[in-house]
Amino acid sequence: MPDAESAANRFLGMIANYVLRPRMLLTGWNPAASDIHHAVEGAVQTMLARYTPDPSA
């Protein structure tokens, strides 16, 4: 991966909007563990789709 720092920032940005930032702004924000898992898994799938090398290339 040419720019791991940029990739890490993108990943954190995807999960921060659901998992991290609301905790700073909303009292009582407590999503279910399954919802957090779903958000993180979605971010992982997006990152894999973006950064997995194309085997046909």
Side-chain angles (χ1 to χ4, degrees), residues 3-24:
D3 190 355
E5 183 176 348
S6 177
N9 282 327
R10 290 176 183 163
F11 178 76
L12 288 175
M14 284 188 278
I15 65 169
N17 285 330
Y18 184 75
V19 177
L20 304 172
R21 287 188 189 121
R23 292 178 195 267
M24 295 184 287

Side-chain angles (χ1 to χ4, degrees), residues 2-48:
D3 190 355
E5 183 176 348
S6 177
N9 282 327
R10 290 176 183 163
F11 178 76
L12 288 175
M14 284 188 278
I15 65 169
N17 285 330
Y18 184 75
V19 177
L20 304 172
R21 287 188 189 121
R23 292 178 195 267
M24 295 184 287
L25 302 172
L26 304 171
T27 58
W29 176 258
N30 192 18
S34 61
D35 293 334
I36 292 173
H37 179 77
H38 181 73
V40 172
E41 283 296 313
V44 168
Q45 292 299 316
T46 299
M47 295 301 288
L48 289 173

